[in-house]
Amino acid sequence: MQDLINTRAIRDYAPDLLADRESAEEWLTGAAGAWARIHGLDVPDCSLSEADPGALRDLRATFHELITGTGGGIGAGGDRGSDTGDDTPALTSGSGSGKARTAGRGATVRLAPDTDGRVRMVPVGRGRQWLESALWSEILLAQRTGTWPRLKMCRNPECASAFYDISRNNSGVWHDAKVCGNAVNLRASRERRRLRESGGS
């Protein structure tokens, strides 16, 4: 999921990889191919319609809301847990705001045994539908295994990249402490010095 969120444009540093069908298909082909190989599945058909890039951008916004707790769905309010009253995560985004709300309509998956007889969720469909199926499945698994709260957004507003927190106590706030943490601390230090100087003048 963090790969999808990180397709967004970052000022002058990186363009929006979902801006049009060509760039969105190129990104999806690479991302879906890598995911399928890791999970031992066939690479899906990654062709997109003209409307799909917009739907993928809405899906990206939905997942951003789920991670940050700004929407009305999974983890709203900051707990990043289940909103079903038990340990089973809901697979829709609930009452999220704006266009992002329409993207989180859930997904269809296929349950199938692997070579060892363990049942797993297999994404179905092609293109955008396959991606939605894979990502909602990953959210469910992450919530069931307790790793969901480790997916975060970098607190550096000029970065705001999604990252997986590998710290022991899940206390990370920067996608890269040396880059983003130092940059934010430096800006804060300069602002404090500016305030001191303006206050003494």
Side-chain angles (χ1 to χ4, degrees):
M1 189 203 309
Q2 68 191 69
D3 288 343
L4 174 64
I5 294 175
N6 291 339
T7 58
R8 67 178 184 80
I10 302 178
R11 297 201 174 187
D12 298 329
Y13 175 72
D16 189 335
L17 299 182
L18 305 180
D20 53 49
R21 188 174 69 174
E22 183 177 359
S23 60
E25 276 191 3
E26 181 178 358
W27 171 79
L28 180 57
T29 299
W35 191 95
R37 285 190 294 272
I38 291 173
H39 290 81
L41 299 173
D42 294 333
V43 177
D45 177 358
C46 294
S47 58
L48 299 174
S49 69
E50 290 293 341
D52 280 340
L56 289 177
R57 293 192 296 271
D58 288 346
L59 185 66
R60 178 177 65 189
T62 293
F63 289 151
H64 180 273
E65 288 183 348
L66 298 185
I67 292 174
T68 59
T70 57
I74 304 172
D79 60 1
R80 302 280 300 283
S82 168
D83 60 356
T84 61
D86 57 20
D87 292 332
T88 304
L91 287 188
T92 59
S93 69
S95 57
S97 59
K99 290 183 177 180
R101 175 177 53 195
T102 65
R105 57 187 175 277
T108 301
V109 298
R110 179 169 60 90
L111 299 179
D114 61 17
T115 56
D116 296 323
R118 293 172 299 188
V119 177
R120 61 179 177 175
M121 290 182 289
V122 180
V124 297
R126 65 181 182 85
R128 174 176 60 84
Q129 292 79 17
W130 183 94
L131 182 64
E132 290 180 347
S133 181
L135 292 179
W136 286 116
S137 298
E138 288 294 317
I139 290 178
L140 175 60
L141 292 175
Q143 291 185 344
R144 298 290 288 184
T145 59
T147 59
W148 170 247
R150 288 188 174 273
L151 189 58
K152 303 177 179 181
M153 304 299 298
C154 181
R155 288 191 183 177
N156 180 359
E158 295 186 1
C159 172
S161 295
F163 72 100
Y164 185 81
D165 183 4
I166 61 174
S167 64
R168 179 175 299 180
N169 60 351
N170 194 26
S171 60
V173 295
W174 319 112
H175 98 278
D176 186 316
K178 291 183 178 179
V179 176
C180 291
N182 287 346
V184 170
N185 290 335
L186 179 60
R187 286 198 297 270
S189 175
R190 288 174 175 171
E191 178 64 13
R192 288 193 297 270
R193 182 173 61 187
R194 185 189 68 78
L195 293 175
R196 286 197 303 269
E197 292 174 350
S198 61
S201 59

